[in-house]
Amino acid sequence: MQILIKNGTVVRSTGRKQADLLIKDGRIAKIAEKIDTIADRVIDAAGCYVFAGFIDTHTHFDLDLGVTVTADNFETGTKAAIVGGTTTVLDFATQDRGMTMRDALELWHKKAEKSSSNYGFHMAVSEWNDARKAEVDEMFRSGVSSFKMYMVYDAMKVSDGQIYDAQKFIGSRGGIIGVHCENYDVLQARIAEEKAKGHTDPTAHPVSRPQAVEAEGVARLMRISELSGEPAWVVHLSTADGLKEVRAARKRGVEVYAETCPQYFTLDVSRYADPDGAKFVMSPPLREAGDRAAILDGMKRKDIDFIGTDHCSFTMAQKALGRDDFSRIPNGGAGVQNRAELVYTYAVKTGAITLEQMALLMSERAARLFGMYPKKGVLRVGADADIVIFDPNDRHTISWRTNLHACDNSPYEGMEVLGRTRDVILNGEQVVGNGRLIAPYRGQYVFRKPCERYRR
Ligand code: URP
Ligand code: ZN
């Protein structure tokens, strides 16, 4: 099967140019100013940008919180992902207490069987002991080179000492640990304070977890990494103060990779007062204008490495579990379908970043850190043919009704965005045409190598 993409503007982190691309046997076979080969399918990309397939570094599909399970599983979540231009999701396989990493990985492989985008797994660990350590090499042999630890959530929280030890153990093997950085004790105390004042609605959520709660966690992780001598990955960075800590640590020689999410440069903390404010309850919470400006500045200065969505969706009925107590609202929101158009509208069109930086943030750096480069994350001859044709002239309004995700809300509901993923090639096959999913369930597992520590 040969596909020829003609007349598009090929966008890479190093620049953009008008070029044609020939795809053959699942790979990019040729990129040239003009290709006239006869192909099985010709796609005219005139007026569109052609990107390497986007990589979402942070999704939670089919995640069981105990009280409830995310609205999206891999079937629905990856359908939403692929029509939004995300050709690979890195989801968090989760080792619950009393479970082995091997069992968690096997379970996640089963969950992901009906995927419409490619998928890989980070391993989120809720325990760190000799038994878990003994499984780490097997994870690498299974294509999992990145892990996650939480400073918060009763079911997942580990200690600072465990993070330190895990960084040394996993870092020395070429892996990295993403850490959810918030100060657990302080936020628990603040939740209790809010409840004591009779504040039960979603507006109390950001009050319980203000900027300093994140910044303290980030600062602590930076010091832990300084002491372990191994790299740190800060997941879903949301604050100006947290970013300051990342920058200060880098000046001291700490190797830090920073991820943010669209909600932290597009949505305002005032939304918790909306009638459906519960849908914005996620951790970290939505922030203020100064934080959004700082996050965009971090993207512009390349201090932020990549953008995930933290897609972790719940229906409004599920969100109602916390009707009388904001701290019981399941944390998380839907976003996997809308990342590219949000980045294009709020970061590229506003002049905060260039298209080339969009390529860097949406795929190249994630592919490098997470061991997929140069097969993924870049348009080059020999790379996997995961390709997005993005139409910058489209204008539409985001709605959960037209999104393919399975929940009845979107944090971005009603927002008008510029640009849309028009066509997607996955593993050399066209799977999205004119914004419609034409070939579902074509996702494949992405076996990942150890991390490419490009900030070392
Ligand atoms: O609120 C969120 N972000 N839920 C998902 C779990 C996490 O913290 O990443
Ligand atoms: Zn998350």
Side-chain angles (χ1 to χ4, degrees), residues 136-151:
V136 166
D137 288 336
E138 185 184 335
M139 291 300 108
F140 280 91
R141 287 196 298 273
S142 307
V144 175
S145 51
S146 47
F147 297 75
K148 184 178 185 185
M149 287 181 143
Y150 291 83
M151 291 181 176

Side-chain angles (χ1 to χ4, degrees), residues 11-16 356-357 359-360 364 373 378-379:
V11 182
R12 290 180 272 219
S13 65
T14 48
R16 65 188 93 167
E356 287 79 3
Q357 285 177 303
L360 201 67
E364 187 180 313
Y373 189 85
V378 63
L379 293 174

Side-chain angles (χ1 to χ4, degrees), residues 58 60 148 236 310:
H58 195 140
H60 301 276
K148 184 178 185 185
H236 47 48
D310 198 4

Side-chain angles (χ1 to χ4, degrees), residues 186 188-199:
V186 173
Q188 289 301 330
R190 291 179 69 95
I191 287 172
E193 280 169 14
E194 288 307 297
K195 287 191 198 169
K197 287 183 212 156
H199 297 168

Side-chain angles (χ1 to χ4, degrees), residues 65-116:
L65 297 188
V67 285
T68 194
V69 182
T70 53
D72 279 297
N73 55 24
F74 276 84
E75 181 169 1
T76 58
T78 59
K79 281 182 180 171
I82 198 75
V83 295
T86 291
T87 49
T88 301
V89 297
L90 296 180
D91 197 79
F92 290 94
T94 299
Q95 177 267 322
D96 292 323
R97 297 207 174 114
M99 191 183 198
T100 63
M101 289 190 207
R102 173 189 283 185
D103 286 348
L105 187 58
E106 201 182 303
L107 179 62
W108 250 259
H109 272 292
K110 280 214 176 73
K111 286 174 189 260
E113 270 167 6
K114 286 180 98 178
S115 287
S116 292

Side-chain angles (χ1 to χ4, degrees), residues 58 60 63 92 148 150 152-153 180 235-236 264 281-284 310 312 314 330-333:
H58 195 140
H60 301 276
L63 180 67
F92 290 94
K148 184 178 185 185
Y150 291 83
V152 296
Y153 301 133
H180 179 130
V235 300
H236 47 48
Y264 302 123
V281 170
M282 56 186 76
S283 296
D310 198 4
C312 187
F314 297 100
N331 272 217

Side-chain angles (χ1 to χ4, degrees), residues 38 75 78 83 98 137 149 170 179 188 210 254 259 266 358 434:
I38 294 169
E75 181 169 1
T78 59
V83 295
D137 288 336
M149 287 181 143
I170 288 169
V179 178
Q188 289 301 330
V254 183
E259 170 196 81
T266 61
M358 178 168 165
N434 261 328

